[in-house]
């Protein structure tokens, strides 16, 4: 795990899964994966599977949010545009991911998901916040800010 004395953070590339070191405080959009050259930023939410989630949880010390959702869920569909906008607004500081709970049931169970949508914030290699229920517009922005300010 990265400590406060370490001036870098470890980011898992959302394209290829490679671990990348990046200076703390540097905009994510300024960094590229050392293996596949994909941007380290996620200006749009990135769909992940259980294996990628496990890799993020085990190795990533950056800030990221996981939206656990299901295709049949009305509130999930209602929250999707706001989540997409948040990915764009926070692209230089926070990466936003989506985990389909129907396709990744063991991963969702490991997170203790009881209902969707559920948002989980991670920072510095640990879970920083957990929120069940749809968040939209300014409420979603406030939740992300608060979740990561307590990290």
């Amino acid at each position: 795990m990265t400590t406060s004395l370490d001036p870098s953070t470890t980011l898992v590339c959302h394209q290829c899964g490679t671990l990348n070191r990046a200076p703390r405080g540097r905009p994510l959009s300024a960094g590229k994966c050392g293996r596949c050259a994909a941007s380290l930023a996620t200006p749009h939410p990135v769909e992940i599977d259980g294996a990628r989630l496990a890799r993020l949880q085990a190795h990533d010390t950056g800030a990221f949010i996981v939206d656990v959702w299901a295709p049949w869920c009305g509130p999930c569909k209602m929250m999707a545009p706001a989540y997409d906008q948040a990915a764009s607004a926070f692209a230089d500081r926070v990466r936003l991911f989506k985990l389909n709970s129907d396709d990744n049931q063991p991963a969702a169970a490991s997170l203790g998901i009881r209902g969707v949508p559920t948002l989980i914030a991670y920072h510095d290699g640990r879970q920083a916040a957990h929120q069940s229920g749809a968040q939209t517009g300014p409420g979603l922005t406030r939740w992300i800010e608060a979740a990561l300010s307590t990290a």
Side-chain angles (χ1 to χ4, degrees):
M1 185 181 305
T2 303
T3 67
S4 60
L5 299 176
D6 188 345
S8 66
T9 189
T10 300
L11 303 175
V12 174
C13 174
H14 60 275
Q15 292 292 319
C16 71
T18 297
L19 302 180
N20 293 274
R21 300 292 270 171
R24 284 193 181 269
R26 183 176 176 199
L28 292 170
S29 60
K32 294 194 182 296
C33 175
R35 181 175 183 199
C36 72
S39 173
L40 295 177
T42 59
H44 300 285
V46 174
E47 190 71 38
I48 59 172
D49 61 13
R52 186 58 45 92
L53 174 63
R55 187 154 176 81
L56 285 161
Q57 290 172 312
H59 301 288
D60 201 294
T61 59
F64 65 93
I65 309 287
V66 178
D67 170 21
V68 184
W69 69 286
W72 49 262
C73 169
C76 297
K77 291 176 185 177
M78 179 183 75
M79 188 174 83
Y83 196 67
D84 191 55
Q85 289 174 348
S88 177
F90 287 94
D92 277 334
R93 300 185 312 159
V94 182
R95 291 159 302 139
L96 274 67
F97 299 104
K98 294 178 74 67
L99 179 77
N100 181 327
S101 62
D102 284 355
D103 293 343
N104 298 280
Q105 292 179 7
S110 76
L111 294 170
I113 301 301
R114 297 188 184 277
V116 290
T118 295
L119 296 171
I120 304 172
Y122 292 86
H123 192 265
D124 286 335
R126 63 181 175 80
Q127 185 174 316
H130 185 274
Q131 170 70 44
S132 295
Q135 297 287 319
T136 59
L140 177 59
T141 300
R142 282 191 302 274
W143 183 84
I144 293 171
E145 292 282 0
L148 298 176
S149 70
T150 60

